[in-house]
Amino acid sequence: MPPPPPPAPEKEPPAGGGPRPSSSRSTEVREAVPTIPSRKPEAGLIIKPEWLVKILRGSKTIELRGSYHKMHVGETIALCSSGDGRACWGQAKLHRVEGPLEDDRFKELQDQHCVHAPSCEAVQHKMSWKHVYAWHLSEVEVYETPLP
């Protein structure tokens, strides 16, 4: 029996995978097809539900962060929601980390990170970050059932 749908479609990640990303846009994210993982990755990102939905649907391929962690670059990491007991709704490969970003690069990547802020400085101020880094995600897989 499939898991019940999330209570707020745009607030929570889709339990069944949701709409598939458009193939007209060139991205590193493959089509999001629900999968059953053999095991949960050891490392993961805790992401606000509204951003996690975009990553799982393929419209967001960069997660902005205030730090640079090269330890898990090239590895598969879990994608977990900050809003529902930190359940993991999928996984992705942390392809690379870029930064610290300058304003021009921040704006060039805007379609991939989906943050509509006037500058890196605005993001830094809002999030209390010293720098802004672009965590490039690829090979996104949506779990058929979220993992604890």
Side-chain angles (χ1 to χ4, degrees):
M1 180 160 95
E10 288 303 316
K11 298 286 182 183
E12 293 294 325
R20 294 189 173 147
S22 166
S23 60
S24 63
R25 198 172 128 214
S26 173
T27 68
E28 294 177 9
V29 177
R30 66 184 187 160
E31 216 172 73
V33 176
T35 62
I36 300 172
S38 57
R39 66 180 179 85
K40 185 168 100 177
E42 292 180 23
L45 284 176
I46 306 297
I47 306 168
K48 289 184 179 181
E50 61 268 23
W51 298 120
L52 182 55
V53 167
K54 290 178 182 290
I55 292 169
L56 295 175
R57 291 183 177 169
S59 61
K60 178 177 166 70
T61 59
I62 292 176
E63 174 67 1
L64 296 181
R65 293 285 160 149
S67 61
Y68 178 95
H69 290 284
K70 61 182 175 183
M71 188 165 76
H72 298 292
V73 171
E75 294 180 14
T76 298
I77 57 173
L79 302 172
C80 307
S81 174
S82 65
D84 58 4
R86 298 200 172 170
C88 295
W89 291 84
Q91 64 187 35
K93 180 178 177 183
L94 177 56
H95 184 69
R96 66 187 176 106
V97 177
E98 177 182 359
L101 297 180
E102 299 291 332
D103 280 342
D104 57 342
R105 185 65 177 150
F106 174 83
K107 290 174 186 171
E108 285 174 21
L109 296 172
Q110 202 160 37
D111 286 345
Q112 295 169 59
H113 61 65
C114 303
V115 175
H116 300 286
S119 66
C120 271
E121 187 177 325
V123 173
Q124 289 170 265
H125 179 72
K126 181 176 180 173
M127 302 302 295
S128 300
W129 292 343
K130 187 175 180 182
H131 299 288
V132 176
Y133 295 88
W135 290 34
H136 294 258
L137 303 172
S138 63
E139 301 175 32
V140 172
E141 293 182 29
V142 179
Y143 296 160
E144 191 172 290
T145 304
L147 301 177

